[in-house]
Amino acid sequence: MKPLRLAAALVLLASTASAQVLFEDNFDANPTGLNLTPAGWTVTGGSVDTVGQGTFPDICAPTGQTCIDLDGSTLDAGRLQSMATFALQPGVRYNLTFDYTWNSFAQDNGNTMIFGVGGFREVMAISETRPAEPQHYRTWTLSFDGDGTNGAIFFDHQGGDDGGIVIDNVRFSVAP
């Protein structure tokens, strides 16, 4: 195969192997505030805080950008749900990926979060006590095969002490 054709074939192969992004949000376009719902989302229970520069900037450290504290400031943790819904095609592999950390201003209680898309869900439990400083973000990926149903992205925090699991950089995609 000639070098030019080989290069074109490799580019085509690489482009088909990348994930098709269906939804992503880093929350940076949102103003910060307590009990403030980010654009493109609804809070269907409790409250969430949109935090960052101006409102608890250390929670989003080290980036200093905007992120979401899922245990808002009403002593009733929030359920955050995307306004967008997705047709989950049978046999298609999907990835819900997000960054998370532990609110350094949180109470000394552990927290649990149920998250997913439609009927596909996973549980995250953090039993750490209050850290002395902001924690580094970690990435979590939920992978599943569609079943023909429709669903929205959701994060349902089970806390209730005004501080808990913080999320950022939500991305929903078709797996490569």
Side-chain angles (χ1 to χ4, degrees):
M1 186 178 271
K2 292 184 178 179
L4 186 55
R5 286 187 191 161
L6 178 59
L10 290 174
V11 168
L12 180 60
L13 182 61
S15 67
T16 58
S18 64
Q20 176 190 0
V21 176
L22 303 173
F23 177 92
E24 61 184 345
D25 194 350
N26 65 8
F27 305 106
D28 291 347
N30 290 281
T32 60
L34 302 179
N35 306 315
L36 185 61
T37 303
W41 298 83
T42 60
V43 175
T44 60
S47 66
V48 302
D49 294 337
T50 304
V51 296
Q53 293 300 319
T55 307
F56 298 111
D58 290 341
I59 292 175
C60 297
T63 64
Q65 301 297 313
T66 305
C67 56
I68 304 299
D69 181 346
L70 291 167
D71 195 345
S73 298
T74 61
L75 294 177
D76 189 12
R79 177 182 167 95
L80 185 67
Q81 182 172 307
S82 67
M83 294 175 100
T85 59
F86 306 93
L88 306 172
Q89 300 300 318
V92 174
R93 188 83 169 157
Y94 296 94
N95 291 329
L96 172 62
T97 303
F98 59 95
D99 295 332
Y100 72 98
T101 191
W102 176 247
N103 181 342
S104 61
F105 297 103
Q107 304 300 314
D108 288 328
N109 303 319
N111 286 278
T112 301
M113 175 174 67
I114 302 167
F115 60 91
V117 181
F120 298 95
R121 57 193 68 223
E122 196 162 319
V123 177
M124 171 191 292
I126 297 178
S127 59
E128 302 168 24
T129 57
R130 182 189 314 238
E133 58 187 51
Q135 300 298 292
H136 295 287
Y137 277 87
R138 295 170 229 154
T139 300
W140 192 295
T141 300
L142 167 64
S143 297
F144 61 91
D145 293 326
D147 62 358
T149 60
N150 294 324
I153 300 167
F154 67 91
F155 297 91
D156 191 358
H157 199 291
Q158 305 295 303
D161 55 15
D162 287 345
I165 299 171
V166 176
I167 62 167
D168 201 358
N169 302 317
V170 175
R171 181 180 175 142
F172 183 55
S173 61
V174 174

